[in-house]
Amino acid sequence: DADVTQTPRNRITKTGKRIMLECSQTKGHDRMYWYRQDPGLGLRLIYYSFDVKDINKGEISDGYSVSRQAQAKFSLSLESAIPNQTALYFCATGLANEQFFGPGTRLTVL
Amino acid sequence: GQNIDQPTEMTATEGAIVQINCTYQTSGFNGLFWYQQHAGEAPTFLSYNVLDGLEEKGRFSSFLSRSKGYSYLLLKELQMKDSASYLCAVREYGNNRLAFGKGNQVVVIP
């Protein structure tokens, strides 16, 4: 079984819809992260959490929100999706010297 | 904040050696990471450097010079499966976040 799972793996939605991307991990790590990846722009940090009561904004948090429901679960929400949020989204969990990435969610906003 | 620069693409022959460079500027360096990412897949961890010098791990080696803000990843005995994007990421003191470069696409040809 995969250590970091993301659901859904692919999603097509329309402008204005609310979308939730979910991430679960079985590695027992406290640290969890959400990134988005766009062609030519690399990975950019959206939000991160160092434990259940700790939520921090990354470099591109506008238009996104997160919920850390448990140590193992970290969800990313788009309250009102817009086309420029079309991207590949990765969840990651981390130790001090390494991060482990989930398989990614490909989101398309029409 | 950080500024991370990597060349965008290079082509190399199977069996050869390729060096991928990364330069960075940061206000408080606390580690440099290299990740490999195949198209459409999650990044996977390759190496971590926090002190100056060379870290060797099989066919992959990573070098760091903190005074020059410079790192390279060396891939030896190139194989076709090494065709991927190689991401350099820098961690800054105080926040344990990673800032990623845009990645260097390596194409291995027979």
Side-chain angles (χ1 to χ4, degrees):
Chain A
D1 287 339
D3 295 321
V4 186
T5 57
Q6 292 182 234
T7 55
R9 295 293 313 279
N10 287 282
R11 182 72 183 267
I12 300 173
T13 191
K14 294 182 179 179
T15 297
K17 294 291 187 181
R18 184 178 188 273
I19 296 295
M20 179 180 286
L21 309 184
E22 299 189 1
C23 177
S24 295
Q25 53 111 350
T26 59
K27 300 186 80 66
H29 295 159
D30 288 327
R31 301 176 185 185
M32 298 189 74
Y33 306 81
W34 275 105
Y35 294 90
R36 66 176 279 177
Q37 188 172 40
D38 300 90
L41 294 179
L43 282 162
R44 294 182 291 167
L45 183 64
I46 306 172
Y47 270 96
Y48 61 105
S49 168
F50 285 170
D51 65 42
V52 175
K53 297 179 182 178
D54 177 73
I55 300 290
N56 304 280
K57 292 183 178 180
E59 57 183 299
I60 53 161
S61 59
D62 287 349
Y64 301 95
S65 63
V66 290
S67 173
R68 185 80 184 268
Q69 302 95 322
Q71 186 202 41
K73 296 184 182 297
F74 193 36
S75 300
L76 177 72
S77 294
L78 288 68
E79 297 301 326
S80 180
I82 56 177
N84 77 0
Q85 290 177 314
T86 293
L88 185 55
Y89 289 85
F90 287 104
C91 172
T93 74
L95 298 170
N97 298 337
E98 188 172 349
Q99 287 188 14
F100 301 85
F101 286 80
T105 295
R106 187 167 295 280
L107 177 66
T108 303
V109 184
L110 301 176
Chain B
Q2 295 120 320
N3 183 26
I4 301 165
D5 189 36
Q6 294 183 254
T8 55
E9 186 170 322
M10 56 177 59
T11 301
T13 306
E14 194 174 12
I17 298 172
V18 68
Q19 178 173 315
I20 304 165
N21 298 318
C22 174
T23 58
Y24 64 88
Q25 294 175 307
T26 181
S27 54
F29 177 83
N30 191 25
L32 187 139
F33 299 75
W34 283 97
Y35 282 80
Q36 180 191 60
Q37 186 179 25
H38 289 100
E41 298 182 9
T44 55
F45 173 79
L46 289 178
S47 69
Y48 166 70
N49 296 68
V50 67
L51 299 176
D52 291 349
L54 189 68
E55 294 281 342
E56 297 189 77
K57 195 185 285 187
R59 292 189 301 114
F60 296 81
S61 303
S62 57
F63 171 83
L64 175 67
S65 169
R66 290 172 293 171
S67 62
K68 296 181 179 178
Y70 169 70
S71 174
Y72 68 73
L73 180 70
L74 200 66
L75 285 62
K76 303 173 194 171
E77 301 170 18
L78 275 177
Q79 302 176 7
M80 298 300 290
K81 67 179 181 179
D82 296 331
S83 290
S85 183
Y86 291 85
L87 312 177
C88 166
V90 173
R91 185 174 63 198
E92 201 172 60
Y93 263 119
N95 58 37
N96 284 303
R97 294 160 38 177
L98 294 184
F100 283 83
K102 296 178 182 178
N104 182 312
Q105 184 69 40
V106 172
V107 178
V108 181
I109 58 175

